[in-house]
Amino acid sequence: MSSAPFVRIAELPAHAGQQVVIRGWVTHVRSSGKIAFAVIRDGTGTCQTVFVKTQLPTEVWERFSQLTTETSVAIEGEARAEPRAPGGFEIGVTSLAIIGPSPIDYPIQPKEHGIDFLLDNRHFWLRSPRQRAIAVIRSEIEQAIHDFFYERGFLRVDTPILTAAIGERSGLFATEYFDEGNAYLAQTGQLYGEAAAAAFGKIYTFGPTFRAEKSKTRRHLTEFWMIEPEVAWNDSAANMVLQEDFVAYLVQRVLERRAPELAELERDVTKLQAVKVPFVRLDYAEAVAIVQRKGSATVWGDDLGAEDEALIVADYDRPVFVMNYPKEAKAFYMKENPDDPRTVLCNDCLAPEGYGEIIGGSQREDDYDKLLARITAEGLPLDAYNWYLDLRRYGTFTHAGFGLGLERTVAWICGLQHIREVIAFPRMMHRLRP
Ligand code: 4AD
Ligand code: MG
């Protein structure tokens, strides 16, 4: 290689007509005796490289024949605009160095593979264009989340992963913690978020959460990422306005900035363009009436299952809030509804197209006695919740917040069937490797 500058494929347009070096992996090769092509992928894009036998030293031409799928290479040549090539550029090769050969038994071949095989080879599967598109959209959404809250003056607060037993109802992962007994991997950052809201006003957390749920559905992971804003002085109505602004912002951001990746995934973007505020608002009782009319056996008092959620959203082109569930169906920390004390001031946000719950949110119980009664009634260990009750003892305050599941949101925006593809290395009941 000469002293030509090393350039990422996405930056080639700025180097038209210049001699450059690109580095990457071979996705495929073809040759017709006198002219040969290797398509190179570097994570920022793909680029066709052109080898012309009569214009190359013999050893460079011969080296081409060693290129197999996923061989890593450095290639030097002239960057040329070529409208017919993917990405619009190609390299007229002058030099080729093989960095790392790749045996011909590379596991992922251009044919149909079963999902278990692909997940076993997740470390390679990530190299496919489709997986790259998903990763790019996920990253765009993560950045948009930070931007949304930053623009609105929220403070990001990082809450602990190792906790004493507090959180949601579903299963806990335990690990020994010195002389303190068991520590549990956090199921939510919310309770710490509430303490932070009293200190800082408007906060959000963005962290991994863990649930030892034995669910093998297309929307459950044992490790997933959750974004949990908590806002002092917001009530349940203000909480929903924040949610719809937030979700609409994320969708709009992906539409504006990630059209090529949505196209790679063959996403029907008209479905995303319909996601506008205000979202639909249904009382829990109305939602139950809708699903019953459509044949569901759900009765007042039940939580709504995935099938019920699909029945509800089928009538709408935008997300739906189901509000004010019965107490028994929801967590202890939700505020009793003064208009109907059998229910709590909460909402789930259901994504369109059958994706179901992407957000759970509520106004929090700020009455000390009522909260204590709920904690006791649920048989929760009081000593673990004393500090949480303190927030109601010393300067209690109206507050509300919610948790958005990142993987479910990304799966919906990408239009994927299962959330396992949305995270680089998914953790599920039967999967801990790679
Ligand atoms: O409804 P959840 O359980 O609510 C909470 O954890 C509250 N503490 C949030 C809050 O008010 N701060 O979970 C919130 C969201 C769900 O709507 C869903 O999107 C996602 O987290 N979620 C999961 N995602 C993937 N796999 C799982 N096992 C999930 N469980 C919940
Ligand atoms: Mg929920």
Side-chain angles (χ1 to χ4, degrees), residues 66-89:
Q66 297 169 31
L67 299 182
T68 53
T69 305
E70 297 304 324
T71 299
S72 53
V73 293
I75 290 178
E76 184 178 333
E78 188 197 344
R80 303 190 290 238
E82 170 49 69
R84 286 167 302 176
F89 274 80

Side-chain angles (χ1 to χ4, degrees), residues 26-286:
V26 173
T27 66
H28 50 276
V29 291
R30 76 198 142 84
S31 163
S32 65
K34 292 195 172 63
I35 183 161
F37 302 89
V39 177
I40 308 300
R41 162 188 63 76
D42 77 348
T44 72
T46 56
C47 177
Q48 170 169 285
T49 61
V50 187
F51 296 71
V52 180
K53 185 174 180 181
T54 54
Q55 293 169 14
L56 284 171
T58 321
E59 72 273 13
V60 173
W61 177 255
E62 280 171 0
R63 213 170 286 140
F64 174 87
S65 63
Q66 297 169 31
L67 299 182
T68 53
T69 305
E70 297 304 324
T71 299
S72 53
V73 293
I75 290 178
E76 184 178 333
E78 188 197 344
R80 303 190 290 238
E82 170 49 69
R84 286 167 302 176
F89 274 80
E90 65 177 22
I91 304 281
V93 178
T94 53
S95 172
L96 162 68
I98 292 179
I99 312 293
S102 174
I104 53 164
D105 59 357
Y106 181 68
I108 298 194
Q109 297 290 330
K111 61 165 197 178
E112 283 286 311
H113 290 293
I115 185 66
D116 285 323
F117 180 86
L118 288 170
L119 285 168
D120 288 342
N121 288 284
R122 184 63 173 162
H123 51 302
F124 291 137
W125 189 21
L126 285 178
R127 300 180 183 190
S128 78
R130 185 184 150 82
Q131 296 305 316
R132 178 183 175 277
I134 296 168
V136 166
I137 292 173
R138 178 187 173 110
S139 179
E140 185 67 48
I141 291 172
E142 292 184 343
Q143 188 59 49
I145 289 166
H146 292 303
D147 292 346
F148 177 88
F149 289 118
Y150 188 85
E151 287 163 11
R152 284 160 185 75
F154 283 64
L155 213 65
R156 179 179 176 179
V157 175
D158 301 316
T159 53
I161 308 293
L162 293 167
T163 65
I166 54 164
E168 303 296 321
R169 283 171 174 167
S170 41
L172 288 165
F173 287 110
T175 180
E176 264 174 54
Y177 197 80
F178 308 108
D179 297 332
E180 298 292 314
N182 271 341
Y184 301 91
L185 297 184
Q187 297 174 318
T188 170
Q190 175 198 323
L191 281 68
Y192 299 100
E194 289 183 51
F200 312 127
K202 299 193 284 185
I203 68 95
Y204 73 106
T205 71
F206 192 143
T209 45
F210 306 86
R211 301 203 183 171
E213 290 172 301
K214 293 194 169 144
S215 358
K216 292 190 285 178
T217 77
R218 63 191 186 89
R219 42 188 220 163
H220 285 89
L221 297 169
T222 53
E223 178 181 297
F224 63 98
W225 289 70
M226 186 155 54
I227 296 83
E228 296 183 275
E230 194 69 34
V231 184
W233 314 115
N234 262 10
D235 61 8
S236 192
N239 195 34
M240 282 184 279
V241 171
L242 182 64
Q243 289 167 54
E244 61 193 356
D245 286 347
F246 181 46
V247 171
Y249 179 98
L250 300 182
V251 170
Q252 195 51 39
R253 173 76 166 252
V254 175
L255 282 171
E256 276 167 17
R257 300 204 190 172
R258 296 300 168 188
E261 285 76 17
L262 290 169
E264 171 70 41
L265 297 171
E266 296 172 22
R267 181 65 166 114
D268 177 357
V269 291
T270 61
K271 296 277 201 299
L272 297 176
Q273 283 155 353
V275 178
K276 297 258 159 65
V277 298
F279 294 174
V280 180
R281 285 164 170 74
L282 297 177
D283 202 62
Y284 168 82
E286 290 175 80

Side-chain angles (χ1 to χ4, degrees), residues 330 348 357 359-360:
K330 291 291 177 192
D348 280 358
E357 179 194 338
I359 292 180

